[in-house]
Amino acid sequence: MTPSSADYDYIRRLVQDHSAIMLEAGKEYLLGLRLQGLMTRHGCADIPALVQKLRSDRSGALSREVVEAMTNNETSFFRDLHPFETLRKVIVPELIRRRAAERTLDIWCGASSSGQEIYSVALTLREHFPELVNWRLNIVSTDLSREMVQRGRDGRYSQIEVNRGLPAMLLVKYFERSGMDYYVKPDIRRMVDFRELNLNGPWSGVPSRLDIVFMRNVLIYFEDAVKRRILAKVHDLLRPDGYLFLGGSETTLNLEDRLEQVQLERTRCFRRRH
Amino acid sequence: MGKRALVIDDSRAMRRVIANILTERGFEVLEAENGQVALDQLEANPGIEVALVDWNMPVMNGYDFIKAVRAQPKYARLTMMMVTTETEMSQVVRALAAGANEYVMKPFTADALVEKLELLGLL
Ligand SMILES: C[S@@+](CC[C@H](N)C(=O)[O-])C[C@H]1O[C@@H](n2cnc3c(N)ncnc32)[C@H](O)[C@@H]1O
Ligand SMILES: [Mg+2]
């Protein structure tokens, strides 16, 4: 049976209601592609069969799976590189001075996919700031996708993944190989607290006074009203001298005027306007 | 004129793949099919900034090439990136200890190679 536009609309609405992700109209083929594995697992021959199952999905488990399957989880270690350079050269040294009395840093990664981004932060801290050993580092990493959160927690990466953006020096120092994969060593893994969190829902477990927020390459999937709501919440949780990182094509401009853009080295970050 | 790169691999197909990625990024690319030829190329072509080095090659392998280069102070500023099917952690350690600046495991994507060049400040 060929899927009707009502079937597509049903899935589009399901995904948007739950995750706020807007699926572009006209990309129906993509939908089929992303859902193929899931449909096979659940014995659905086609999209109409899947939609029929979804309509009677009382527990919400299948709906959730569909939503997760529609997320784009593209990421890599030290993605774009310059945010991490700025972190190392400017932001962390500055925060170490400013927090010398409290000796605490609260860091949140709000769409961490399979974990490469937050491990890049953790590795930067561990490799370049030995003075932080006696600090309380509260590093929370969250994502909508249960599978991605578990991957981050496992800290297990394929050859293809460690090939991408991870300096070889850091690979040999902080990873160990087992079978075909490379594992983040336990003392780095223990630095990060991985949890499920839907940015489009209540934010439980997010530290309430944040020094550094990474929320990169996720707002692009949302409509402006959702972006506004999320950025307003980030503003409220960010400390007056804290920093927000967005993806290269994302901004607060015309969305949250209480956050202003600052150019630090090669990177654009955002802070509370004073 | 773009930066000069030397691609060292005994597989002609692999040299082409790497050379294409590099020329697309504005590099001027020279090629060598083993470490010995690569040493001659370095000698004959001043101004090579980066060498992409396969490990397993006849005549002189990439590991010996890197050691030979690092033994010569005049090449101190040459950046070297191992590009190899060797994926054991111990091999990565050996390559770095011998003087490689980065390491890419085959098979790799163009993105991976480009990201490593960025890490090395070459892009
Ligand atoms: C393209 S990845 C970005 C990963 C990483 N931040 C980076 O820049 O490399 C987007 C991630 O956002 C997550 N995501 C999408 N909608 C979300 C939502 N409503 N709440 C939390 N995470 C969400 C997806 O699961 C996916 O892992
Ligand atoms: Mg070879």
Side-chain angles (χ1 to χ4, degrees):
Chain A
M1 215 164 104
T2 52
S4 66
S5 63
D7 292 325
Y8 285 124
D9 283 345
Y10 182 90
I11 292 181
R12 205 175 285 132
R13 195 155 315 124
L14 170 76
V15 171
Q16 190 178 344
D17 286 349
H18 184 76
S19 68
I21 296 173
M22 311 268 294
L23 299 175
E24 280 174 74
K27 291 252 174 100
E28 279 78 12
Y29 69 96
L30 202 71
L31 215 118
L33 243 111
R34 290 234 170 111
L35 294 174
Q36 197 52 62
L38 178 152
M39 291 198 290
T40 310
R41 273 202 309 284
H42 289 275
C44 303
D46 48 25
I47 298 268
L50 176 66
V51 169
Q52 197 168 3
K53 245 197 173 135
L54 281 167
R55 287 185 193 277
S56 55
D57 174 34
R58 298 259 174 275
S59 75
L62 182 61
S63 306
R64 194 187 161 123
E65 260 189 74
V66 167
V67 173
E68 291 200 12
M70 294 313 297
T71 59
N72 173 347
N73 306 117
E74 163 76 13
T75 189
S76 58
F77 288 103
F78 295 92
R79 182 172 184 176
D80 300 334
L81 194 56
H82 56 80
F84 301 93
E85 286 175 354
T86 297
L87 203 61
R88 171 168 61 84
K89 292 189 194 158
V90 182
I91 294 180
V92 176
E94 177 187 312
L95 285 172
I96 286 180
R97 281 195 307 277
R98 285 174 171 272
R99 304 285 183 267
E102 327 164 32
R103 300 166 80 79
T104 295
L105 285 179
D106 290 287
I107 301 172
W108 175 40
C109 178
S112 57
S113 187
S114 37
Q116 285 93 324
E117 184 170 54
I118 199 63
Y119 282 129
S120 303
V121 174
L123 290 172
T124 299
L125 297 179
R126 179 56 62 91
E127 179 69 8
H128 299 287
F129 301 96
E131 61 268 47
L132 290 176
V133 281
N134 296 318
W135 286 45
R136 197 182 65 85
L137 297 181
N138 184 24
I139 307 177
V140 177
S141 198
T142 64
D143 197 278
L144 170 80
S145 159
R146 188 176 293 189
E147 183 191 340
M148 289 303 129
V149 169
Q150 190 55 47
R151 287 209 52 208
R153 216 175 262 145
D154 291 343
R156 170 179 157 192
Y157 298 100
S158 69
Q159 183 204 300
I160 289 170
E161 289 168 323
V162 298
N163 242 355
R164 297 213 35 203
L166 181 65
M169 277 302 284
L170 296 181
L171 173 72
V172 300
K173 206 161 159 186
Y174 298 109
F175 290 70
E176 46 205 2
R177 182 154 175 185
S178 174
M180 291 304 285
D181 293 325
Y182 302 80
Y183 286 81
V184 179
K185 286 186 178 172
D187 60 323
I188 300 295
R189 234 168 40 226
R190 274 196 297 270
M191 290 173 74
V192 185
D193 181 6
F194 284 97
R195 299 193 207 146
E196 286 166 40
L197 184 135
N198 183 350
L199 292 171
N200 192 39
W203 293 6
S204 56
V206 177
S208 55
R209 301 175 75 219
L210 285 159
D211 295 301
I212 300 168
V213 177
F214 273 75
M215 192 170 287
R216 301 196 306 153
N217 305 303
V218 64
L219 296 182
I220 35 169
Y221 301 108
F222 306 150
E223 62 185 349
D224 283 355
V226 177
K227 292 180 191 169
R228 288 203 177 91
R229 208 164 61 229
I230 291 173
L231 288 171
K233 283 163 91 173
V234 170
H235 167 274
D236 296 345
L237 294 175
L238 205 58
R239 290 180 70 160
D241 51 0
Y243 290 94
L244 163 68
F245 288 88
L246 297 178
S249 63
E250 295 162 331
T251 180
T252 61
L253 210 71
N254 298 326
L255 295 169
E256 178 47 88
D257 289 337
R258 294 174 303 160
L259 291 169
E260 68 177 351
Q261 184 175 311
V262 284
Q263 183 75 31
L264 292 178
E265 303 264 313
R266 294 198 297 136
T267 218
R268 231 166 14 98
C269 336
F270 300 85
R271 314 185 61 164
R272 285 170 72 145
R273 204 182 287 279
H274 296 289
Chain B
M1 202 176 65
K3 295 184 159 100
R4 277 189 165 180
L6 177 58
V7 176
I8 313 163
D9 201 303
D10 58 331
S11 154
R12 188 200 173 94
M14 184 51 70
R15 290 202 304 272
R16 289 269 38 100
V17 168
I18 298 174
N20 280 338
I21 296 169
L22 293 171
T23 40
E24 254 174 46
R25 307 273 155 180
F27 283 87
E28 183 196 338
V29 180
L30 303 170
E31 298 182 23
E33 65 267 26
N34 65 56
Q36 188 55 58
V37 174
L39 286 175
D40 297 341
Q41 289 268 41
L42 274 187
E43 190 68 49
N45 299 280
I48 293 177
E49 283 190 49
V50 56
L52 294 95
V53 191
D54 182 24
W55 193 308
N56 300 300
M57 295 179 288
V59 186
M60 180 189 278
N61 70 32
Y63 178 75
D64 290 337
F65 167 79
I66 286 175
K67 282 203 302 189
V69 168
R70 286 297 175 236
Q72 300 190 57
K74 64 176 171 182
Y75 297 134
R77 295 185 52 192
L78 178 68
T79 300
M80 289 188 285
M81 179 149 86
M82 202 63 135
V83 184
T84 172
T85 50
E86 299 289 330
T87 58
E88 284 304 325
M89 214 60 121
S90 55
Q91 294 294 73
V92 186
V93 173
R94 273 182 77 207
L96 294 178
N101 303 89
E102 261 305 336
Y103 200 99
V104 172
M105 302 172 197
K106 293 173 182 167
F108 59 89
T109 59
D111 283 344
L113 200 71
V114 166
E115 284 158 3
K116 292 280 183 167
L117 292 168
E118 284 170 354
L119 279 180
L120 294 167
L122 289 162
L123 279 177

